[in-house]
Amino acid sequence: MIAAVATAGLGLATTPALAQPAPIVTRAALDPALVAGRGATVGFAEQEAENATTSGTVIGPGRSAYTLPAESSGRSAVQLTPGQYVEFTLPSAANAITVRYSIPDASNGGGLTAPLGVTVNGGHRKTMTLTSQYAWLYNQYPFSNDPNGDLLHPDWWITECSCVPNATTPPPTITKPFRPNHFYDEQRVLLGRTYRAGETIRLTAGGVPTVIDLLDSQLVGPPHVALVASNVLLFGADPSGRHDSADAFDRAITFAQRHHLKVYIPPGTYQVNRHIIVDNVTIEGAGNWYTIIKGHQVTLSTPAPDGSIHTGVGFYGKDASVGGSHNVHLSGFAIEGDVRERIDTDQVNGIGGALSDSTIDGLYVHHTKVGMWFDGPMTNLRITNNVITDQIADGLNFHTGVTNSVVSNNFIRNTGDDGLAMWSEKSENTNDTFDHNTVQTPVLANGIALYGGTDNTVSNNLVADPIREGSGLQLGSRFGAEAFTGHVWITNNTTVRAGTYELNWNIGLGAIWIYALEKNIDADVEVAGDTFLDNTYNAIMLVSDFPVKDLYSITDVHFKDIKVDGTGTSVLSARVAGGASFQNVDARNVGAVGINNCGSFHFTPAGSEFSVTDLGGNEGGGTTGDWLAAWELPNTITCDDRPPVVVPPAPSAW
């Protein structure tokens, strides 16, 4: 391994960890009471390593991109050298754990493996084999697995030198590895028996430095059994995973369709190295801890018509161009992919195609490019109770003409792009809802993003720890999306440690940011009942890119019944023409002037091109007094690109 990779991003101050004998259960690294009613209801208890007993060292907290603390849940973790441990006390009965960790990359990329000892109450030892083969990306978009590579785009401006490298004389020195990121992975293990609350699980590092971020513990129920079904074993599927079972799955599906049965996949690990095409079929596993569909990424001999140069494990509806698939119901299994690089044309997603009048429930999707990517037009899809982790790109994306569909009670962690997205490219997504989902640590982009569309809702979600070039919630007129029309409802969501730094602009974003890059945003946008906690920079940002600042505006946005607890800078940053109204927006621990109003940067005597309407009930503030003061209204210029950041105190009960 190379030192630059092995120690990348140890972040800010490091301090010896303190023993914490009593279990501390968190949600998004906070007291669960602070986020009650928001996000997914899950079957596991989250425990942060920095709150556990350890002989290692706490790293962080830190929020600087390309560091291990920044990509950690709660922005802190525990660093172990070989032989050191972190020990968790079970808060409730459990027979399974998930460990989120990072180990170094190989010196030339490609990853390492290393043991992690697992002991319960000092005995019952297991060894987990950790890997970094699915972590550690480098360089500029779309990234590389090579820590020693030159810039992928030397003709792009980069912050590191504030220059375009190939247009600069003398050329700048580029430190390698350049922009290491996507450090973490997770691994699940069944413990073989049930342990009681109060018993201890110790994780001991093996041959390499190991960072432990958190442990999830849960009590997994017995396997689901379907006796009256088209059982894949009867058609030659191999539950040992030694032989490819794709053809056996196809035969079981055909039989089930012909005889009006569901397909059942019993416990086991099944090797599948291509897409399974599904239409008018129900497929049930024994539960996602028991039924595992695992595949290798396969290089195609010639590129596919859609541009893919690889294929891999995935369940796909028919293409929308031939009518898509209908009446598909998938539940109770895991999909384990083998995707280690980002190739945007590749269809190597866990679930894909077009699925109408269908349901997806209780899956675990891991190591694919995108967990679930749907290309419409399609309608009436229900996606519930899934876990999507460690993706190279998005967690889930509704792309092009997805309508009347719901994504609810899903848990998404460590995506390489937006956690959840609606992208209305070419055709509008309409009447879709993202509700009660949890999105944590998206390494790039946003927790939840809407790109155009009509009458869509984002409600009751919990988004924590976005890392860079995005934030918690985004409404964006970008990526060739159709306009926002009708209404957009952003209601009763909570963001935590959002409002990130934008590398390319060299400024801080908002926990929610509304971005007019390609069109005006003039739909009726209602942001109501949301809570923005511990914002690194701003809570709210409305912005247009500087080259188009005189072309596009943002209007008809309404903020109501909002709570803001902690901003490094302002409550509102306005960097666009237009306006918004505010009613019952309470803020505290505000680090800079409440409204940072730049408008469209003409700075005329008439004031900013962005107007703030005070509808009453706006209270609180911070270092400069009331966040929404009379002197700021309606359009006083208060523009400061980079105000000093005042780190707010930890959130507390309102």
Side-chain angles (χ1 to χ4, degrees):
M1 74 193 76
I2 53 176
V5 176
T7 62
L10 293 186
L12 305 178
T14 62
T15 57
L18 299 177
Q20 295 285 352
I24 299 175
V25 175
T26 57
R27 291 185 64 215
L30 288 179
D31 180 346
L34 295 176
V35 294
R38 308 288 167 87
T41 300
V42 295
F44 55 81
E46 172 193 280
Q47 292 176 269
E48 295 286 333
E50 62 269 23
N51 297 330
T53 302
T54 185
S55 60
T57 304
V58 172
I59 59 172
R63 304 192 189 185
S64 298
Y66 312 117
T67 66
L68 279 157
E71 291 192 18
S72 305
S73 172
R75 312 302 181 120
S76 291
V78 169
Q79 171 89 23
L80 306 175
T81 58
Q84 290 185 323
Y85 68 86
V86 58
E87 186 171 274
F88 300 85
T89 301
L90 289 175
S92 55
N95 60 5
I97 59 172
T98 300
V99 179
R100 187 168 193 253
Y101 67 90
S102 177
I103 62 173
D105 198 0
S107 59
N108 292 315
L112 300 173
T113 59
L116 181 73
V118 181
T119 55
V120 185
N121 302 325
H124 305 288
R125 182 178 178 87
K126 283 180 171 283
T127 300
M128 300 172 69
T129 300
L130 307 184
T131 181
S132 54
Q133 293 168 335
Y134 299 98
W136 293 95
L137 298 176
Y138 307 93
N139 223 305
Q140 298 154 295
Y141 180 89
F143 317 115
S144 164
N145 300 116
D146 182 4
N148 306 309
D150 294 328
L151 292 178
L152 295 178
H153 304 284
D155 56 335
W156 288 6
W157 186 91
I158 60 172
T159 299
E160 286 80 357
C161 65
S162 297
C163 72
V164 176
N166 71 356
T168 301
T169 302
T173 299
I174 304 300
T175 301
K176 297 179 183 179
F178 185 65
R179 297 182 181 175
N181 69 94
H182 213 277
F183 305 119
Y184 286 93
D185 202 349
E186 69 176 47
Q187 193 172 133
R188 309 191 303 170
V189 62
L190 287 165
L191 298 174
R193 54 163 286 192
T194 298
Y195 294 93
R196 299 185 304 270
E199 299 191 87
T200 59
I201 294 180
R202 176 175 289 194
L203 308 178
T204 303
V208 300
T210 301
V211 175
I212 303 297
D213 182 27
L214 56 79
L215 178 138
D216 295 330
S217 59
Q218 73 182 94
L219 186 62
V220 178
H224 164 69
V225 177
L227 297 177
V228 181
S230 178
N231 190 316
V232 298
L233 298 183
L234 300 178
F235 297 88
D238 176 11
S240 74
R242 288 191 295 269
H243 304 289
D244 193 300
S245 292
D247 291 346
F249 278 32
D250 287 345
R251 290 191 292 269
I253 289 169
T254 299
F255 184 86
Q257 292 166 329
R258 185 177 301 135
H259 295 280
H260 307 290
L261 295 171
K262 66 182 67 173
V263 173
Y264 176 61
I265 312 174
T269 298
Y270 300 84
Q271 183 186 154
V272 172
N273 301 314
R274 61 169 172 83
H275 298 170
I276 301 297
I277 305 302
V278 290
D279 185 25
N280 192 33
V281 67
T282 296
I283 303 177
E284 295 179 356
N288 66 48
W289 283 85
Y290 300 110
T291 298
I292 301 167
I293 319 300
K294 188 171 186 176
H296 304 293
Q297 182 166 286
V298 177
T299 301
L300 300 174
S301 57
T302 57
D306 62 12
S308 295
I309 60 174
H310 299 98
T311 190
V313 61
F315 289 76
Y316 273 64
K318 295 178 181 178
D319 193 84
S321 64
V322 295
S325 291
H326 297 76
N327 192 32
V328 173
H329 306 283
L330 308 175
S331 65
F333 55 87
I335 299 172
E336 287 275 0
D338 185 34
V339 180
R340 310 180 192 196
E341 60 184 336
R342 179 163 179 166
I343 300 174
D344 283 341
T345 56
D346 270 356
Q347 285 284 350
V348 286
N349 308 317
I351 308 289
L355 296 174
S356 294
D357 305 317
S358 297
T359 60
I360 301 169
D361 183 75
L363 304 189
Y364 177 79
V365 187
H366 195 221
H367 290 160
T368 57
K369 187 183 80 173
V370 176
M372 302 183 188
W373 180 287
F374 302 97
D375 292 301
M378 50 178 273
T379 191
N380 189 29
L381 175 63
R382 298 290 183 270
I383 300 173
T384 53
N385 307 313
N386 303 285
V387 175
I388 301 172
T389 65
D390 301 326
Q391 301 296 306
I392 288 291
D394 301 35
L396 178 149
N397 196 308
F398 280 171
H399 177 231
T400 302
V402 178
T403 64
N404 304 311
S405 295
V406 175
V407 177
S408 180
N409 207 63
N410 301 281
F411 182 87
I412 294 96
R413 182 163 61 201
N414 196 39
T415 58
D417 213 308
D418 294 323
L420 298 173
M422 302 183 196
W423 181 15
S424 294
E425 186 185 31
K426 300 177 184 176
S427 179
E428 292 181 344
N429 294 328
T430 303
N431 196 33
D432 297 321
T433 298
F434 290 163
D435 180 71
H436 277 103
N437 303 286
T438 296
V439 180
Q440 293 183 218
T441 59
V443 175
L444 175 72
N446 306 283
I448 300 177
L450 271 58
Y451 305 117
T454 300
D455 294 341
N456 294 309
T457 299
V458 175
S459 57
N460 301 296
N461 300 286
L462 173 61
V463 177
D465 297 314
I467 314 303
R468 70 181 201 279
E469 297 172 60
S471 195
L473 306 170
Q474 185 188 21
L475 276 63
S477 171
R478 57 192 307 201
F479 305 127
E482 297 298 305
F484 287 99
T485 58
H487 301 268
V488 184
W489 292 279
I490 311 294
T491 59
N492 300 318
N493 304 282
T494 294
T495 68
V496 183
R497 296 177 297 272
T500 56
Y501 168 69
E502 216 301 322
L503 181 73
N504 299 300
W505 290 343
N506 194 23
I507 61 172
L509 299 178
I512 181 171
W513 62 306
I514 303 176
Y515 182 25
L517 176 63
E518 298 171 352
K519 294 179 175 68
N520 292 327
I521 297 179
D522 52 12
D524 178 15
V525 178
E526 302 287 339
V527 183
D530 300 286
T531 301
F532 305 119
L533 302 177
D534 193 1
N535 306 280
T536 308
Y537 289 90
N538 309 287
I540 299 164
M541 172 179 270
L542 293 88
V543 61
S544 183
D545 204 8
F546 200 84
V548 297
K549 65 185 178 64
D550 297 323
L551 298 178
Y552 305 124
S553 63
I554 299 173
T555 56
D556 209 14
V557 182
H558 310 283
F559 295 89
K560 183 178 180 180
D561 301 331
I562 305 294
K563 286 184 168 58
V564 176
D565 190 352
T567 64
T569 52
S570 299
V571 174
L572 167 66
S573 177
R575 303 172 66 86
V576 65
S581 68
F582 295 82
Q583 183 177 7
N584 298 331
V585 177
D586 292 344
R588 64 187 184 191
N589 302 315
V590 178
V593 63
I595 302 174
N596 187 352
N597 195 340
C598 300
S600 52
F601 295 90
H602 291 288
F603 306 133
T604 70
S608 168
E609 297 81 10
F610 186 91
S611 294
V612 174
T613 301
D614 180 0
L615 297 181
N618 301 296
E619 298 178 348
T623 56
T624 65
D626 291 346
W627 85 265
L628 202 163
W631 66 268
E632 296 171 304
L633 302 174
N635 64 335
T636 302
I637 296 170
T638 55
C639 188
D640 186 347
D641 274 351
R642 297 169 191 89
V645 175
V646 177
V647 178
S652 59
W654 203 267

